[in-house]
Amino acid sequence: MLNHTTIDRSLRALAEPTRRAIIEKLSVGPASVSDLAKPFATSLAAVVQHLQILEDSGLVTSEKVGRVRTCRIEAGGFDALGDWLAQRRSLVERQLDRLDTVLAELRPAGRSAHRKGK
Amino acid sequence: MLNHTTIDRSLRALAEPTRRAIIEKLSVGPASVSDLAKPFATSLAAVVQHLQILEDSGLVTSEKVGRVRTCRIEAGGFDALGDWLAQRRSLVERQLDRLDTVLAELRPAGRSAHRKGK
DNA sequence: CGTATGGTTAAGCATGGACTTGAGTATTGA
DNA sequence: TCAATACTCAAGTCCATGCTTAACCATACG
């Protein structure tokens, strides 16, 4: 399993509405810090702090040219989280399959009816 | 887009190592509250609180029979989060495609080299 | 040059969230 | 029926986190 700390940082970063809104905006396209701050009622400094956390989590990168910092989503920043999620879901599937098996053994003549088709 | 509050609750619930560990254990199979509490150094009450949060988030269900509460992963509890993630990733892909297009237009004779094959 | 713009950093505050303890309820088993 | 088990609930503590303000730098513009 890949580094657990990456998952932790990603999830913490995303578990905040403002940061999620920033991610949502950035997933449409790059933006400057003050562009990102505009929609929010909070101060610019607060947004900068959120951006710092997003960068530490590996979800966002930024580079400064002149006096403006341009932020963008880091492609692949969601991969660790995606893998973790996929693994959870596959394990849950496995559980349901085993349940099916058990039910099938309990009434061998019938067809288990509670699972959605493949 | 599906209910935003669901995403919020899922992410908040998962942004905590203990709760994630509980999820990981439950994705292997159902367990009682005290089974879940065993591996942790914390008190039982703390684990119960975590379970409450996980249930509120829709990731876990439980039912009490006799004096023991059995907890299990809610199949489909990860769907909203999975959809959100997938959408982010697809939007990021779109950005990269547009970038490819721009680069291709800048040097029409060359092949863009920075993307992995389809 | 001077001023505005865009961002950075630090300090302090306030709230939320994780944890503990302790007391209580309901079930089970001897 | 008594004790152990398996939670449940309430109250209180404490620390992390998000926010603000304020001072500060660097770059761009008239």
Side-chain angles (χ1 to χ4, degrees):
Chain A
M1 198 181 295
L2 271 171
N3 190 4
H4 217 274
T5 316
T6 304
I7 302 288
D8 192 62
R9 277 204 262 258
S10 310
L11 284 168
R12 271 169 192 252
L14 294 174
E16 216 280 347
T18 304
R19 284 195 295 262
R20 233 155 37 234
I22 290 175
I23 288 286
E24 280 166 10
K25 183 150 193 180
L26 286 180
S27 54
V28 174
S32 74
V33 173
S34 33
D35 277 354
L36 289 171
K38 255 171 228 156
F40 302 109
T42 79
S43 71
L44 180 70
V47 171
V48 169
Q49 285 163 13
H50 283 310
L51 283 170
Q52 189 54 58
I53 289 169
L54 287 169
E55 262 193 87
D56 290 348
S57 76
L59 294 168
V60 166
T61 29
S62 74
E63 60 173 342
K64 194 164 181 175
V65 36
R67 62 184 170 180
V68 43
R69 174 173 300 276
T70 300
C71 307
R72 63 192 75 239
I73 295 261
E74 170 70 44
F78 293 108
D79 288 354
L81 182 51
D83 290 352
W84 186 84
L85 237 191
Q87 200 184 356
R88 289 316 112 209
R89 294 173 110 172
S90 114
L91 285 172
V92 172
E93 268 302 301
R94 193 189 292 270
Q95 278 188 62
L96 294 177
D97 288 346
R98 275 208 302 272
L99 177 59
D100 261 10
T101 305
V102 171
L103 291 180
E105 275 165 17
L106 286 180
R107 43 177 162 74
R111 286 307 241 176
S112 135
H114 72 288
R115 297 295 309 286
K116 54 178 191 297
K118 172 180 181 300
Chain B
M1 198 181 297
L2 271 171
N3 190 3
H4 215 275
T5 316
T6 304
I7 302 289
D8 192 63
R9 277 204 264 257
S10 310
L11 284 169
R12 271 168 192 255
L14 294 175
E16 216 280 346
T18 304
R19 285 197 291 265
R20 234 156 36 234
I22 290 175
I23 288 286
E24 281 167 11
K25 183 150 193 180
L26 285 180
S27 54
V28 174
S32 73
V33 173
S34 30
D35 277 353
L36 289 172
K38 253 171 230 155
F40 301 110
T42 78
S43 71
L44 180 71
V47 171
V48 169
Q49 285 165 10
H50 283 310
L51 283 169
Q52 188 56 56
I53 289 169
L54 287 169
E55 261 192 89
D56 291 349
S57 76
L59 294 169
V60 165
T61 30
S62 73
E63 59 173 342
K64 193 165 182 174
V65 36
R67 63 185 167 178
V68 43
R69 174 172 300 276
T70 300
C71 306
R72 64 191 75 239
I73 294 260
E74 170 69 42
F78 292 107
D79 287 353
L81 182 50
D83 290 352
W84 185 84
L85 237 192
Q87 201 184 356
R88 287 319 110 209
R89 294 173 109 171
S90 113
L91 285 173
V92 172
E93 268 302 301
R94 193 189 292 269
Q95 278 188 62
L96 293 178
D97 287 345
R98 275 209 302 273
L99 178 58
D100 262 8
T101 306
V102 171
L103 290 181
E105 276 165 17
L106 286 181
R107 41 177 163 75
R111 286 306 242 174
S112 138
H114 73 289
R115 297 295 309 287
K116 55 180 190 294
K118 171 178 179 300

